[in-house]
Amino acid sequence: MAETTQERKRYSPLVLTETESLSREQWLEYRRLGIGGSDVAALMGISPFRTARDVYYDKLGIAEVEGYEGNWVAMEMGNLLEGLVAEIFRRKTGFEVYQVKKMFQHPVHRFMLADVDSFITMPDGTRAILEIKTTNYNAKDHWWRDGKEIVPPYYEAQGRHYMAVTDIDRVFFCCLYGNTEDEAVIREIRRDAVYEEEMIFLERQFWEGHVQKKVPPPYLEDGDVILESISRHCGPADTKLPAVSLKGQMASNLMRYVQLQEEKKDAEKFTKKLKDELQRLQAILAAEMGRGCTAVCDRDGKRYTVTYNPVRKPMVDKDSLMRLKLLHPEIYGQFVTVSESRRFYVKASDIVEAGGEAA
């Protein structure tokens, strides 16, 4: 049976510090004293921006985690528009919105911190939390799933963390994705005791088992998020470093990779057959169209329209780039930059024992 507000023992959060006069560096130092709302999704493995390892590095002061979520322009836009989005929410709901410039701390779980955007006074006199978000038009769909209104899971985790720290039972989210007040979504979530209990368990496990013991958490996230994390913390590649010996679980990971690589090859053979057949049929149809760009076919009560339109875009081919380098090296050096990417490759070879033949 779900726990009700009346059954739950109420409490008041502690105030770790006033935040209004803090510099950014001071604010970050206080954040490193515990787990904040924007850290929780990474610890739960549901953040599309950062890993638990990123948060670990931040808490130990090894590398700052703030600034990883998107690019700096998006972050600055969020800061600049915070007051505007709060005003949109006030006008749409009629609820009073106010700020409290404090960083709160859970009275029991002292590692849980909360620096809340804004608070709301509800018509019945109770308080709620308002979290302000901004996004671009293409990302607005994250606030729906299968036609139903939702809060993106990584924001939901943040809101539930804030409810747990402050002992407040409702969080509203207002996210602006356009340039009119109608291009804003408003969502509400209410406290969930089961979710909260599991969340606190994971946070404690991270804080006590990793941060306090200085043991890095394992990478459990999606591959692209992990690679992004590695590129931030490891720096550029160094081909002169000695080979890393993979043992134990890392050796098992490599064997699993090799196995999947073979399975992928088999799947690609089948995919290639399909691709070749599609390409052959496309070529036959294109040949029938000649210089034309459109074809139609009426079959089984449907009309199929084929388009084969030209796509033209400016580009610099390799030969032209080479000529630019030879004839105008100063211009080449000014506008051509070198970016680094790394290619992952596994090759198997027989082990040759000293003085013997291949095993």
Side-chain angles (χ1 to χ4, degrees), residues 40 112 157 160-161 164 195-203:
V40 181
M112 296 179 68
R160 295 198 180 283
H161 173 92
Y195 187 112
E196 191 170 303
E197 182 180 355
E198 177 68 14
M199 178 186 66
I200 293 174
F201 172 80
L202 292 173
E203 291 188 37

Side-chain angles (χ1 to χ4, degrees), residues 229-250:
S229 173
I230 293 171
S231 69
R232 285 193 293 264
H233 301 307
C234 294
D238 187 347
T239 58
K240 296 180 181 179
L241 290 175
V244 176
S245 179
L246 301 177
K247 298 178 181 179
Q249 183 58 47
M250 286 299 125

Side-chain angles (χ1 to χ4, degrees), residues 95-284:
F95 298 157
E96 179 190 348
V97 179
Y98 63 96
Q99 292 183 320
V100 177
K101 298 290 188 177
K102 297 177 180 179
M103 187 177 293
F104 297 101
Q105 184 177 38
H106 197 290
V108 177
H109 311 293
R110 299 294 182 90
F111 52 85
M112 296 179 68
L113 309 179
D115 194 349
V116 178
D117 285 345
S118 298
F119 292 90
I120 305 166
T121 299
M122 303 299 293
D124 61 1
T126 60
R127 291 195 307 163
I129 292 170
L130 173 62
E131 273 301 295
I132 294 169
K133 306 297 179 185
T134 57
T135 191
N136 60 62
Y137 193 85
N138 294 327
K140 73 180 188 301
D141 293 338
H142 295 169
W143 294 85
W144 283 267
R145 180 186 297 141
D146 299 328
K148 295 182 179 179
E149 297 182 351
I150 66 162
V151 174
Y154 44 95
Y155 288 150
E156 179 184 0
Q158 181 180 19
R160 295 198 180 283
H161 173 92
Y162 288 158
M163 285 191 282
V165 173
T166 60
D167 194 31
I168 291 176
D169 298 318
R170 302 170 73 177
V171 174
F172 288 85
F173 293 84
C174 185
C175 180
L176 179 67
Y177 61 85
N179 59 5
T180 71
E181 62 179 311
D182 291 328
E183 293 174 309
V185 297
I186 295 176
R187 301 285 187 266
E188 177 191 1
I189 58 174
R190 301 205 178 195
R191 208 158 172 186
D192 183 322
V194 176
Y195 187 112
E196 191 170 303
E197 182 180 355
E198 177 68 14
M199 178 186 66
I200 293 174
F201 172 80
L202 292 173
E203 291 188 37
R204 178 182 295 280
Q205 189 178 55
F206 173 81
W207 188 256
E208 296 179 353
H210 295 290
V211 176
Q212 291 186 335
K213 292 183 179 180
K214 296 185 178 180
V215 176
Y219 280 119
L220 301 175
E221 297 81 7
D222 291 340
D224 56 343
V225 182
I226 295 174
L227 289 175
E228 194 66 31
S229 173
I230 293 171
S231 69
R232 285 193 293 264
H233 301 307
C234 294
D238 187 347
T239 58
K240 296 180 181 179
L241 290 175
V244 176
S245 179
L246 301 177
K247 298 178 181 179
Q249 183 58 47
M250 286 299 125
S252 299
N253 289 341
L254 176 61
M255 294 304 100
R256 176 60 175 160
Y257 179 88
V258 173
Q259 177 188 350
L260 291 175
Q261 201 174 38
E262 292 302 315
E263 293 178 9
K264 181 173 177 284
K265 287 179 182 178
D266 293 337
E268 285 175 346
K269 289 178 182 177
F270 177 72
T271 302
K272 186 177 184 304
K273 290 182 180 179
L274 292 179
K275 183 179 178 181
D276 290 345
E277 180 65 6
L278 284 169
Q279 191 173 22
R280 187 183 70 85
L281 293 172
Q282 177 183 312
I284 292 172

Side-chain angles (χ1 to χ4, degrees), residues 323-343:
R323 287 196 296 273
L324 176 65
K325 184 177 182 181
L326 294 173
L327 298 174
H328 304 286
E330 69 287 349
I331 298 177
Y332 179 90
Q334 184 178 356
F335 292 99
V336 177
T337 59
V338 178
S339 62
E340 178 181 296
S341 62
R342 300 176 67 173
R343 180 171 178 265

